Amino acid sequence: IITEEEFMDRPDVMGYIAFKSNLELRIAVETQILTGNNTGTNFNGLYNQAGGTYSVNDPTNQDPVTGLSGNPLDGITRGIHFCQVNGVCVPNLGVIHPNNYLKIRLLKDLVGNYIFGTPNTPMTDIYIGGIRFVQSLYATVGSALLGDFNAYYQLGINQGIYMDLVYNGSDP
């Protein structure tokens, strides 16, 4: 509880509260979208769904078909192929954990050049096979989530956060 006097002394407090509330709301929504367990008021998270998405588990591990070890790009490429063939969809977005992003970002070609730019370039989203990959702390480490989000998923937020300062007559 913040008193009216505290608001008068620190006018920036309301802006800080609005910022933190908005941030916490975005984190809660992102967590629900990815990992919601579909109980009560929880979303049915993407990691818990069948169809429309594909999770590439440990893209740095061995190819399940050939048994050959591969790099993260091999696993993601297999995931894109899986979506197209088995999911009958064209993935248009990927979600990866920042730890996986770093492994991909630091990949080098045979000459030793970084594939996705040198480490001193901004760490923005990367594109693999024409698909944009975004980072999320709530993505499963060691996997990449691929999906056709335009065709199968929609999320609408009806209104933003509304905050009001209310005097309840109990200030000291």
Side-chain angles (χ1 to χ4, degrees):
I1 296 176
I2 299 173
T3 66
E4 186 176 10
E5 183 178 347
E6 290 171 321
F7 273 118
M8 299 280 215
D9 290 344
R10 298 290 313 259
D12 58 331
V13 167
M14 190 63 161
Y16 175 76
I17 291 171
F19 169 77
K20 288 296 281 183
S21 298
N22 192 14
L23 176 64
E24 289 178 21
L25 176 64
R26 286 184 296 154
I27 289 170
V29 169
E30 182 178 340
T31 304
Q32 285 290 317
I33 288 171
L34 292 176
T35 61
N37 62 7
N38 200 28
T39 60
T41 58
N42 291 334
F43 292 2
N44 188 9
L46 295 174
Y47 282 108
N48 300 319
Q49 298 224 4
T53 60
Y54 176 67
S55 180
V56 182
N57 291 319
D58 197 4
T60 61
N61 209 350
Q62 292 184 327
D63 182 326
V65 177
T66 65
L68 300 173
S69 65
N71 65 36
L73 297 179
D74 294 337
I76 289 171
T77 302
R78 284 192 299 276
I80 294 168
H81 179 260
F82 182 90
C83 284
Q84 293 170 332
V85 173
N86 298 330
V88 192
C89 69
V90 179
N92 51 32
L93 182 68
V95 181
I96 56 176
H97 190 278
N99 292 351
N100 300 85
Y101 174 89
L102 186 62
K103 287 180 187 177
I104 293 169
R105 181 63 191 258
L106 296 177
L107 287 174
K108 296 179 181 178
D109 64 16
L110 295 175
V111 180
N113 297 318
Y114 289 100
I115 295 171
F116 292 100
T118 62
N120 63 347
T121 57
M123 293 184 74
T124 58
D125 299 337
I126 55 176
Y127 287 80
I128 300 170
I131 299 170
R132 179 177 162 224
F133 280 80
V134 296
Q135 301 177 63
S136 172
L137 287 171
Y138 308 101
T140 302
V141 176
S143 73
L145 180 71
L146 298 163
D148 186 348
F149 293 92
N150 291 339
Y152 292 98
Y153 301 99
Q154 290 184 352
L155 175 68
I157 298 177
N158 293 334
Q159 62 190 50
I161 297 174
Y162 175 76
M163 298 181 68
D164 197 6
L165 177 62
V166 177
Y167 177 71
N168 67 5
S170 63
D171 282 352

